[in-house]
Amino acid sequence: MPESVRVFLLDDHEVVRRGLRDLLEEEPDLSVVGEAGTAAEALARVPAARPHVAVLDVRLGSAGPDGDHQGIEVCRELRARMPELVCLMLTSFDDDEALLGAVMAGAAGYVLKQIRGADLVGAIRTVAAGGRLIGPEARARALARAQAGEGCPAPPELARLTPREREVLALIGEGLTNRQIGERLFLAEKTVKNRISVILGKLGVGRRVQAAVLAERLGNVTE
């Protein structure tokens, strides 16, 4: 663990960010080097700030249980750009879909906002030192969700996909970003983005992680 851990904060609530900053800056070995309130701001600011740890709110722009998972997409994209960056996901909702998304995006930890301040500080130190806070039980629970369809017929929605779309879906299931999928398939990143939009529409899902669950089922029935 570095002598001083550089931390970046992403949360769409300014009051939460202020509280986190105040909490962390009381610690002599932690320093907040930047913050953002949106996914776009985080993607623009994190590379310049060069943090060791990014504390990312899972849901941005919605406080409800059906809110988006933009923070997970930020984790995925930042990890693709900066493999050395450690991401700690912070959320108010304990749901398997978000946990699965965090696992696939390469997050080192997944903690609830109900956590005590001292425990959050400890969590940041743990992941900064190379530890993980997504334990074997939680990881198994998340992966079990993806593998629930093992041995069952492929969902009929998958039959709507072209062979190329199935390739893209399989790479989504591996947790690759749009840029990485483009490099693997020799496609422009914009083309990949458009193809994924079509795939989500054909599958009748609204989130990338939901498509990843179906990708796992596709792999199970074609092996």
Side-chain angles (χ1 to χ4, degrees):
M1 184 173 69
E3 290 186 8
S4 179
V5 178
R6 297 164 57 86
V7 181
F8 191 96
L9 305 174
L10 168 62
D11 196 288
D12 56 343
H13 294 289
E14 181 183 0
V15 172
V16 174
R17 295 199 307 273
R18 285 187 178 183
L20 290 173
R21 176 183 285 274
D22 290 345
L23 172 70
L24 300 183
E25 290 190 337
E26 290 181 356
E27 304 299 323
D29 59 330
L30 304 179
S31 61
V32 177
V33 296
E35 62 181 65
T38 67
E41 288 176 353
L43 292 174
R45 296 174 183 175
V46 169
R50 305 301 299 178
H52 299 112
V53 178
V55 179
L56 309 174
D57 188 11
V58 170
R59 289 181 170 87
L60 304 172
S62 174
D66 297 323
D68 60 57
H69 288 171
Q70 287 187 59
I72 291 173
E73 295 305 317
V74 170
C75 173
R76 189 191 315 279
E77 181 64 29
L78 289 176
R79 291 272 301 157
R81 297 184 194 178
M82 307 166 63
E84 73 284 0
L85 178 67
V86 176
C87 294
L88 177 64
M89 308 309 300
L90 192 62
T91 181
S92 299
F93 305 100
D94 184 16
D95 68 89
D96 288 346
E97 184 179 311
L99 178 58
L100 173 61
V103 169
M104 293 182 57
Y110 182 95
V111 297
L112 297 178
K113 287 185 176 179
Q114 294 88 331
I115 191 172
R116 294 174 58 248
D119 291 336
L120 178 59
V121 169
I124 292 172
R125 289 178 177 142
T126 295
V127 297
R132 300 190 68 84
L133 291 172
I134 301 179
E137 298 84 1
R139 186 181 296 270
R141 187 182 79 192
L143 294 178
R145 176 189 174 105
Q147 295 167 353
E150 187 169 1
C152 298
E157 293 86 356
L158 293 173
R160 303 173 188 169
L161 303 184
T162 67
R164 191 60 156 177
E165 289 168 348
R166 286 187 171 221
E167 284 186 86
V168 174
L169 179 61
L171 295 177
I172 291 174
E174 292 180 22
L176 272 62
T177 65
N178 291 357
R179 179 180 296 125
Q180 291 170 324
I181 293 173
E183 291 171 353
R184 185 78 65 88
L185 299 179
F186 304 102
L187 297 172
E189 188 174 352
K190 183 176 181 180
T191 300
V192 173
K193 183 178 180 180
N194 291 338
R195 284 183 181 268
I196 290 176
S197 295
V198 172
I199 290 169
L200 296 181
K202 286 186 176 182
L203 296 178
V205 299
R207 298 176 186 159
R208 192 186 188 102
V209 69
Q210 292 171 318
V213 171
L214 290 177
E216 183 68 22
R217 294 190 63 181
L218 176 62
N220 287 333
V221 298
T222 57
E223 287 177 354

